[in-house]
Amino acid sequence: MNEEQKYKKATYHLWTFTASKMIAMLGSHVMAFGISLYILAMTGSAMSFATNMICSVLPRALVAPLAGYVADNFSKKRTILLAQAGTILTVGGLLLYTETVGLSVYAVYTATVFNTICSAFSGVTFSSAIATLVNPERLQRAMSFNQLSTSVAMIGGPVIGGMMYGFFEMDAFLMVNMVAYAIAFCLEATMNFNLYSTRGEDVKKEKMWEGLKGGFHYIKQQKVIKTIMWVALWINLFFSAIAVGGTYIIIELLKVKSTHFGFIEASGAAGMLAASLYFATRSEVKAPLRFSKISLLLLAGSVGLAVIPLITNFSYVAIIIFYLIIYFIFSIFEMGINMPIGVYMQKNITEEYRGRVFGLMETMAMSMMPIGMMVYGMLYDTLPAIVILPVTSAIIITLSLVLLRASILKEAHPEFYERKIVTESVTN
C-alpha cells in the first residue's frame, strides 16, 4: 500500500471510528440513563444506585492492566470486536432474562459488571490503537474527534433517554444499546488496525505475568511517562472535591433546583464539545506537557473560585449563571490537560508497550476515584466547603509546579526549549 492509499485509509478511519464511538457511546448512555431511573424507581435506595456505580467502575479498574497486556500481545481488531460482541451478548442476555423472568436489580448488577469488563478491553485497546489507525500528523485531530463523540453522547444520551422513559419499557433501552453496538461492530470490522503499525510480523508473545511486569519496568524507565501517571493519579484524587462537592454545594447549600442543576452539568459537556472542536481544527500543540501544565494551573484556580457564591449575596439567577460558566470552564481546562498529554503519549510510548501503559494508567486513575469520593464525602460532612475547595486548589497548584517542573518539561520537549533559547538569543 503506497502513502496516498494509506492516507485515504487513515481518513476513512478518522471518520469511521468517530462514528462507531459516537453510536456505541450514545447507546450506552441511553441505557445507563434508563437503568439509573429503573433502580431508583424500583428500590428508592441511594445505596442501590451507588452499588451499580461501583459495578461500573471497580471491574474496569481491576481488569485494565490485563486488557493492556491483551492489546499489546494479540490482534487489536479481534480484541475490540470480541469485546463489542460481549457487550451485545450481555445486554441480549439481560433482555432475554427480562422477557422470561422479569428485570431485577441483581440481574442489572451482573450485566453491568460484564459490560464494564468488555468496555475495559475495548476502551484500552482502542486507546492503544489510535496511533496505528491514523498518520502521526493527524493524531491530535483523531483524539479530538474521539472526545467529541463522547461529548455528543453525554449530551444526547440523557436527552434521548428522558424522552423514551415516559413512553417505553426497560426492554426498549436494552434494544437501543444492542442496535448501537451492532452498528459499531460492523463499522469497526472494516478498519485496518495495523495501517501505521511499526511492529514486525514475528513479534514473540509474552506470558501474561512477564508481560505485566514488562509494562511496569517500561514505565519505570520512562521518567516523563512516569511523571504523567503520577499527575493522573493525584488529579483524579483531588478533583473528587468537585465531583462530590459540586453537587453538594449547588443543591444542598445553595438550594438550586435539580432541573437547573441538570443545565449546569450539561454546560460541562458543552465545554468538552467546544474544546474538542478547538483541538480538531488547530495545529498540533508544540509543547504538550507545558500546555497541560498551564491548563492544570488554570483548572486548579477555578476550583478555588467555585466557593464565591457561598461568600457573596448572589441572586438565584446569578448563582446558576456563575456555575454554568464554571462548569463550562472546568471542561475546557480538563480537555486542555488531557488532549495534549494523550497525543504526547501516543507518539512517545513504544507500540509494544502502549496497551499496558494505558491499562495501568487507567487502573491508577480509576482506583483513585472511589477513594477520593469517600475522603471528600467525609470532609464535606465535617468541614465547611469554603475551606475545602481553596485548600484543594492550593494542593493541586503545588503538585503541578513540583511534578511538572522545568526539568521534566525540558526532558519532554528538548527541541522546543532549545528553539526558544536560540530565538531569545537572536532577539537579544
Side-chain angles (χ1 to χ4, degrees):
M1 189 181 293
N2 60 40
E3 285 303 314
E4 186 179 351
Q5 289 172 323
K6 287 176 74 173
Y7 188 87
K8 287 181 179 178
K9 188 67 175 177
T11 303
Y12 172 79
H13 285 164
L14 192 63
W15 296 106
T16 303
F17 87 73
T18 301
S20 69
K21 181 79 177 286
M22 187 183 298
I23 292 166
M25 290 291 291
L26 196 59
S28 180
H29 279 281
V30 168
M31 189 181 79
F33 183 89
I35 283 177
S36 299
L37 293 182
Y38 161 76
I39 290 174
L40 289 174
M42 185 175 182
T43 66
S45 167
M47 188 61 199
S48 297
F49 182 73
T51 301
N52 195 57
M53 286 187 69
I54 292 169
C55 289
S56 66
V57 172
L58 187 58
R60 183 164 187 143
L62 293 174
V63 305
L66 177 59
Y69 162 78
V70 172
D72 284 338
N73 287 276
F74 297 91
S75 165
K76 288 181 173 59
K77 184 173 184 175
R78 190 178 302 133
T79 301
I80 290 171
L81 293 180
L82 285 173
Q84 301 284 47
T87 300
I88 296 168
L89 290 173
T90 298
V91 177
L94 183 60
L95 179 61
L96 182 62
Y97 183 90
T98 303
E99 293 296 323
T100 55
V101 180
L103 192 59
S104 72
V105 174
Y106 293 105
V108 170
Y109 293 161
T110 304
T112 300
V113 168
F114 281 105
N115 263 354
T116 302
I117 292 171
C118 292
S119 177
F121 278 89
S122 63
V124 170
T125 307
F126 236 130
S127 294
S128 68
I130 292 176
T132 63
L133 287 168
V134 298
N135 49 313
E137 296 76 21
R138 290 192 286 182
L139 261 178
Q140 180 171 290
R141 181 175 295 181
M143 296 190 70
S144 300
F145 281 7
N146 186 36
Q147 189 59 58
L148 186 145
S149 63
T150 302
S151 305
V152 170
M154 286 174 64
I155 297 170
V159 172
I160 296 171
M163 291 189 294
M164 287 178 60
Y165 189 72
F167 300 98
F168 298 97
E169 299 294 328
M170 191 63 217
D171 55 0
F173 288 86
L174 302 179
M175 290 180 70
V176 165
N177 181 274
M178 289 177 65
V179 170
Y181 271 87
I183 294 171
F185 180 95
C186 294
L187 290 172
E188 288 154 15
T190 66
M191 295 163 66
N192 178 3
F193 285 82
N194 295 313
L195 185 64
Y196 283 93
S197 176
T198 57
R199 300 182 73 176
E201 293 285 330
D202 55 346
V203 177
K204 185 181 177 182
K205 290 184 175 66
E206 298 174 284
K207 291 182 179 179
M208 186 174 73
W209 184 243
E210 289 177 357
L212 292 173
K213 283 201 302 183
F216 278 109
H217 182 71
Y218 176 81
I219 293 168
K220 195 175 179 181
Q221 300 300 313
Q222 304 293 319
K223 188 177 179 181
V224 176
I225 299 299
K226 186 166 64 175
T227 299
I228 290 172
M229 295 189 77
W230 277 110
V231 170
L233 186 145
W234 291 119
I235 285 176
N236 277 275
L237 176 65
F238 287 108
F239 277 109
S240 297
I242 286 296
V244 175
T247 306
Y248 175 74
I249 290 169
I250 295 170
I251 292 181
E252 290 298 321
L253 300 183
L254 296 173
K255 306 300 180 185
V256 171
K257 294 177 183 178
S258 57
T259 51
H260 296 150
F261 180 64
F263 285 111
I264 292 170
E265 286 199 315
S267 71
M272 204 176 288
L273 183 62
S276 299
L277 290 169
Y278 169 75
F279 281 109
T281 53
R282 65 156 286 165
S283 58
E284 189 175 309
V285 175
K286 298 299 180 185
L289 260 67
R290 182 172 176 269
F291 192 98
S292 294
K293 179 182 179 179
I294 294 169
S295 298
L296 182 55
L297 291 170
L298 291 170
L299 181 56
S302 302
V303 170
L305 294 176
V307 298
I308 287 177
L310 292 173
I311 56 177
T312 57
N313 293 319
F314 277 6
S315 66
Y316 183 82
V317 173
I319 289 171
I320 293 172
I321 293 172
F322 177 84
Y323 282 111
L324 281 169
I325 295 169
I326 280 288
Y327 270 61
F328 187 83
I329 288 172
F330 279 165
S331 294
I332 288 177
F333 290 152
E334 187 180 346
M335 285 288 291
I337 300 165
N338 294 337
M339 188 62 63
I341 282 180
V343 174
Y344 178 86
M345 292 180 73
Q346 289 284 349
K347 285 192 167 185
N348 290 277
I349 298 172
T350 307
E351 187 180 341
E352 286 82 357
Y353 293 96
R354 204 174 285 146
R356 279 166 284 180
V357 173
F358 280 113
L360 289 168
M361 188 172 180
E362 188 161 311
T363 292
M364 289 175 64
M366 295 194 77
S367 63
M368 285 295 105
M369 289 169 62
I371 295 172
M373 288 178 179
M374 184 173 64
V375 169
Y376 275 101
M378 291 187 290
L379 285 175
Y380 279 108
D381 283 340
T382 55
L383 295 172
I386 57 173
V387 172
I388 294 171
L389 288 181
V391 170
T392 299
S393 175
I395 291 171
I396 296 169
I397 289 171
T398 303
L399 285 169
S400 305
L401 296 174
V402 172
L403 291 174
L404 295 174
R405 55 194 178 274
S407 60
I408 295 292
L409 299 182
K410 286 178 183 177
E411 185 169 337
H413 314 298
E415 71 292 339
F416 175 82
Y417 284 93
E418 286 171 9
R419 188 167 61 248
K420 189 177 179 183
I421 292 169
V422 171
T423 303
E424 288 175 353
S425 63
V426 170
T427 305
N428 293 332

